[in-house]
Amino acid sequence: MKINIGMSDEQRKTIAEGLSRVLADSYSLYVKTHNYHWNVTGPMFNALHGMFEEQYTELATALDEIAERIRALGHLAPGSFSEFAKLTTIKEGDNTADAHTMVREMVEGQETVARTCRELFPAIEEAGDQPTADLLTVRIQTHEKTAWMLRSLLDK
């Protein structure tokens, strides 16, 4: 059945493609955060282990919301490692990195997802796509706050 939600097919496609990049970056950050949760060591182990768990748990919920928005727009959500690898700009984590490096990379990852979200706003505004704008506004707020909290661990 044809989708008739007040947006053109091209607008829905453009936004779904952008959301697919957000999903890929978010999923890649989820995997990296889980990796660092498992493998962090050193004096800040307990604090970072718990913090990373909170972050990957929050990301898991966000992944579902992003994918479901892509589906609501009438497009398939990417769902394989190969699809995510083609779309993401997040670099894989090194599980042998020291805690300081892990935190710095987590800040960079959070900021990357926020930027990827922001890139969509011109298309979202043109289409009058308030549900996607709402979703991405929350995502940006969450990623910026998480980056700030992680960044504070790097201050001396």
Side-chain angles (χ1 to χ4, degrees):
M1 184 172 178
K2 184 166 174 42
I3 296 174
N4 183 10
I5 59 173
M7 294 167 47
S8 71
D9 291 346
E10 188 59 36
Q11 287 172 323
R12 288 186 297 101
K13 179 179 186 241
T14 297
I15 294 168
E17 287 172 350
L19 285 171
S20 293
R21 289 188 301 278
V22 172
L23 182 61
D25 277 354
S26 298
Y27 189 83
S28 298
L29 184 60
Y30 167 83
V31 170
K32 189 173 194 172
T33 306
H34 222 142
N35 175 7
Y36 287 175
H37 164 77
W38 290 327
N39 293 299
V40 67
T41 59
M44 294 207 38
F45 167 81
N46 199 43
L48 291 176
H49 185 75
M51 182 182 261
F52 292 159
E53 183 174 8
E54 288 176 21
Q55 291 168 7
Y56 74 69
T57 300
E58 190 281 329
L59 280 164
T61 300
L63 294 170
D64 197 51
E65 292 170 0
I66 297 163
E68 287 177 355
R69 184 65 192 148
I70 294 168
R71 295 298 294 136
L73 292 171
H75 292 271
L76 295 175
S80 68
F81 288 117
S82 62
E83 288 175 296
F84 291 142
K86 289 177 190 171
L87 294 168
T88 191
T89 58
I90 304 279
K91 293 180 181 160
E92 286 187 353
D94 175 2
N95 60 3
T96 65
D98 62 81
H100 183 271
T101 300
M102 288 179 177
V103 171
R104 186 178 43 75
E105 288 183 10
M106 289 290 92
V107 170
E108 292 168 357
Q110 295 288 338
E111 291 175 343
T112 296
V113 179
R115 288 191 308 272
T116 303
C117 291
R118 270 199 173 79
E119 291 172 3
L120 273 150
F121 273 91
I124 290 167
E125 290 169 2
E126 179 185 318
D129 184 3
Q130 293 85 2
T132 301
D134 287 348
L135 171 67
L136 293 184
T137 298
V138 170
R139 297 308 319 141
I140 291 168
Q141 288 172 334
T142 300
H143 291 292
E144 288 179 351
K145 182 177 181 178
T146 302
W148 157 62
M149 291 181 169
L150 287 163
R151 196 179 303 105
S152 71
L153 297 171
L154 300 174
D155 291 341
K156 296 195 183 212

